[in-house]
Amino acid sequence: MCGIVGYIGNSDVVEILVNGLNTLKYRGYDSAGVALFDENKIKVYKAVGKLENLKDKLSTVKSEIKNPFMGIGHIRWATHGKANEVNAHPHTSTTSDIVIVHNGIIENFKELREELIKKGCVFKSETDTEVVAHLISEEYKNTKNLKEAVKNALPQLKGAYALCIMSINEPDNIVCVRKNAPLIIGVGENENIIASDIPAIISLTSNIIYLNDDEIAVVKKDSVSIENLDGTIIPCKIVKMFVETDAISKMGYKHYMLKEIHEQPNIVRNLLNGRIIDVNSSVELPEIKISKDTLKNLSKVQIIACGTSLHAGQIGKYLIEDFAGVSVEVEPASEYIYRKNTTDENSLVIAISQSGETADTITAVKQAKGKGAYIVVITNRPDSNITRYADSVLNVNAGIEVSVAATKSYTAQLLTLYLFAIYLAEIKGENLDKLSDLKRELLSIPTKMEEILTTEGDIEKKSEQLSKYKNFVYIGRGVNLPTAMEGALKLKEISYINANAYPAGELKHGPIALLDENMPVVSVLIPGHISYDKTISNCEEAKARNAKLITVTSSNDEKLSKLFDVIIKIPEVSDILSPLLSVIPFQLLAYHISNFLGKDVDQPRNLAKSVTVE
Ligand code: AGP
């Protein structure tokens, strides 16, 4: 949540800050601002709404901006105080000697605010962030040095922060620091850039310094020096990163979401590559550093995650229980952390997070680690915060996901869970007879995904017809109940249409009261499992209440065309592997309905890609 960019060097500061913020739009997008060190003044410009509004503002004040040498910028997802210009970052101290941008939450801001007001500080905004500007300004009065002032201020802060700070008295450096929020420094030739994520720096440099918690960096045009709170100098470790330029380009697609949906077959193909070398040999997961003996003797597995990652985890439960015979609990991380749970040193906790930054999931992992559990983290960002607490990290390797609605990271998480469940079953010697067939079928999944994507035109037409409805019910059974939940989540997130998912068998226990001709029922039907016939019966019950019926199915049964109003076909697939395919039509339906309704597909209202607050 929230994106930060800082730049120092001889290039066009405004352009670099705005371009950097543009690549971080997925982190928040309700207001934006920049502070420029220009003509020995700090000039601050802010705008509410999309980044385009800030761009417009900057172009109208072009003549005011002379030749800035450094600046900081921010794109916001409001937590404290409305999305308005006053609450937008950057924030300044009373005398405007200090200016900061911040990502995270200052938990004790109310107490600090009261103390600072008593000292004469004048607050302008409702944000938690503003206290940090005042606090550093107060400390500066004693230290006359920005780095030292920051060092003195930090122990007074509770919460999470990534901060970039400028002082009117120090025209040649930006100071930055982080704690439980990401911040990296891109090292260039006579220029340096600071950002909360890689996309903001890749056009400038591929040399990166990953800042650790409580490390304070002084970033000048031609140097970076880092020390920790007690003054110990930390060597700058520059890492050459792999530049994923394709990931931050739409590659000709209208939206990132559509591009990311289409990337799924290759992501799955690449993930399988090297993991299933031969269907008769064991799955290769060298990243799992937990001993085989430990894995054999696990008393239970707990999966914790949020949102779409939670849906992947719910499917993971079926897989691990079915293949490896170990009991699995799945829980939203935000629930796990506030109850007395049974995690212990014989538990394996699997945390799933695309971003690796989700505050709820990180807190849950810390708690589980504190209880001695083994931690496996499944993430798309192996350099993220959550991986610090992991015994093993499974990188789902989906590439940077820009659209706020998760798609490719979901199928990559699913595939990783399939591989892990098979790996565990092989270690435990469970179901060995059926695992080879399963692996063989897994290898055919990327091609089947491609087949579904060729039917996109047809799904687009159906989406147009369906876009007139204001409410939807999604139903599924067994391994495809989480698929129905994910389908409903995708639709609500990007089209703002009310869509609720239920276990198909639960429909008759209450939700059926909602059904009439205005409430379409969307189902998943995969033959080969008892749940197929049972789900058809539930659809019949819905039809009897005049509901329009839509199904995503691999069935060739012609009788279905009498029952269903809309049929979206997917290739034949076994029930247990079907979630890898059945979700794709749901992603496309949500995408095309949202696009048809003219919604902001990639940046839906009120959402942010990384939810770094609990
Ligand atoms: C997915 O479309 C959502 N944007 C959201 O539910 C997301 O999955 C959730 O916030 C968890 O994020 P994470 O995977 O990065 O932890």
Side-chain angles (χ1 to χ4, degrees), residues 152-453:
N152 290 348
L154 292 182
Q156 301 173 57
L157 302 178
K158 283 192 193 142
Y161 45 77
L163 293 162
C164 278
I165 310 137
M166 292 195 300
S167 159
I168 189 71
N169 300 307
E170 297 190 11
D172 63 350
N173 60 245
I174 300 172
V175 170
C176 60
V177 63
R178 59 157 273 175
K179 185 173 190 180
N180 294 330
L183 202 64
I184 51 178
I185 302 168
V187 182
E189 283 283 321
N190 269 326
E191 59 181 353
N192 288 314
I193 183 164
I194 307 154
S196 38
D197 204 355
I198 288 169
I201 22 191
I202 55 180
S203 60
L204 240 77
T205 177
S206 56
N207 295 322
I208 289 194
I209 298 171
Y210 286 95
L211 216 54
N212 290 310
D213 278 358
D214 287 329
E215 289 179 353
I216 301 158
V218 177
V219 181
K220 295 181 183 270
K221 178 179 124 176
D222 48 11
S223 70
V224 177
S225 54
I226 305 176
E227 59 187 79
N228 64 19
L229 284 181
D230 67 18
T232 310
I233 306 292
I234 313 286
C236 291
K237 193 174 155 210
I238 299 178
V239 180
K240 195 98 192 150
M241 69 172 170
F242 168 69
V243 182
E244 279 188 88
T245 38
D246 284 3
I248 56 160
S249 142
K250 287 190 195 148
M251 305 290 284
Y253 287 96
K254 185 171 176 191
H255 294 101
Y256 282 107
M257 183 178 175
L258 192 57
K259 182 195 91 161
E260 289 162 1
I261 290 173
H262 279 266
E263 283 174 336
Q264 294 177 106
N266 275 337
I267 290 166
V268 169
R269 196 169 274 130
N270 292 339
L271 262 178
L272 286 166
N273 197 5
R275 311 294 188 168
I276 301 179
I277 295 165
D278 171 349
V279 293
N280 296 314
S281 312
S282 306
V283 158
E284 300 281 336
L285 280 185
E287 302 92 326
I288 298 292
K289 307 291 182 211
I290 304 165
S291 78
K292 295 195 170 171
D293 265 354
T294 301
L295 291 174
K296 251 186 206 162
N297 296 316
L298 289 171
S299 61
K300 68 166 168 288
V301 175
Q302 288 174 305
I303 301 182
I304 43 184
C306 305
T308 290
S309 299
L310 178 65
H311 297 152
Q314 284 161 338
I315 292 174
K317 171 183 166 73
Y318 281 91
L319 308 180
I320 295 171
E321 290 188 345
D322 191 351
F323 304 168
V326 188
S327 138
V328 183
E329 292 168 10
V330 192
E331 202 170 356
S334 55
E335 289 298 312
Y336 175 91
I337 53 187
Y338 296 117
R339 72 177 181 91
K340 198 170 162 192
N341 55 59
T342 56
T343 307
D344 60 21
E345 54 283 353
N346 293 320
S347 315
L348 171 68
V349 169
I350 302 178
I352 310 173
S353 175
Q354 184 286 130
S355 62
E357 280 184 47
T358 302
D360 290 321
T361 315
I362 292 176
T363 307
V365 164
K366 282 190 201 164
Q367 280 187 12
K369 185 131 188 103
K371 291 181 157 191
Y374 296 94
I375 312 283
V376 170
V377 164
I378 297 180
T379 182
N380 195 28
R381 302 303 298 268
D383 52 349
S384 61
N385 220 352
I386 200 167
T387 60
R388 292 157 190 260
Y389 311 100
D391 295 298
S392 303
V393 176
L394 291 172
N395 177 3
V396 305
N397 256 311
I400 291 175
E401 191 175 58
V402 177
S403 183
V404 166
T407 53
K408 62 176 181 173
S409 62
Y410 175 72
T411 39
Q413 289 167 347
L414 280 186
L415 190 77
T416 305
L417 286 161
Y418 279 95
L419 291 170
F420 181 75
I422 298 173
Y423 177 83
L424 200 57
E426 283 172 339
I427 287 173
K428 291 181 68 81
E430 297 279 338
N431 291 306
L432 296 180
D433 49 332
K434 66 176 189 188
L435 294 181
S436 302
D437 287 345
L438 204 71
K439 285 184 254 180
R440 190 171 295 109
E441 200 187 343
L442 264 179
L443 293 171
S444 72
I445 291 292
T447 311
K448 290 180 179 176
M449 286 178 150
E450 279 161 351
E451 266 180 61
I452 298 173
L453 291 170

Side-chain angles (χ1 to χ4, degrees), residues 511-525:
I512 200 163
L514 296 168
L515 302 188
D516 62 16
E517 63 283 3
N518 296 317
M519 179 74 83
V521 173
V522 188
S523 57
V524 189
L525 279 175

Side-chain angles (χ1 to χ4, degrees), residues 537-598:
S537 305
N538 302 132
C539 292
E540 302 263 15
E541 291 152 15
K543 185 81 173 179
R545 274 81 190 172
N546 297 325
K548 192 176 174 80
L549 295 188
I550 298 125
T551 192
V552 168
T553 183
S554 58
S555 169
N556 292 318
D557 184 349
E558 287 180 3
K559 281 189 273 175
L560 293 188
S561 56
K562 290 209 180 80
L563 179 61
F564 288 92
D565 301 278
V566 178
I567 297 179
I568 301 174
K569 270 296 307 294
I570 60 170
E572 276 181 39
V573 60
S574 63
D575 180 66
I576 196 75
L577 291 188
S578 60
L580 284 162
L581 301 185
S582 52
V583 73
I584 296 178
F586 286 154
Q587 296 170 341
L588 288 170
L589 263 182
Y591 171 79
H592 285 291
I593 290 176
S594 168
N595 186 39
F596 185 74
L597 294 175

Side-chain angles (χ1 to χ4, degrees), residues 91-100 113 115-125 129-138 141 168:
H91 288 287
T92 50
S93 56
T94 310
T95 58
S96 296
D97 64 324
I98 298 291
V99 60
I100 66 165
R113 192 176 164 116
E115 283 167 27
L116 287 160
I117 288 172
K118 280 185 204 147
K119 286 185 182 166
C121 296
V122 180
F123 278 79
K124 299 173 274 287
S125 75
T129 299
E130 194 183 339
V131 295
V132 187
H134 292 290
L135 203 57
I136 295 172
S137 173
E138 288 299 300
K141 287 179 189 161
I168 189 71

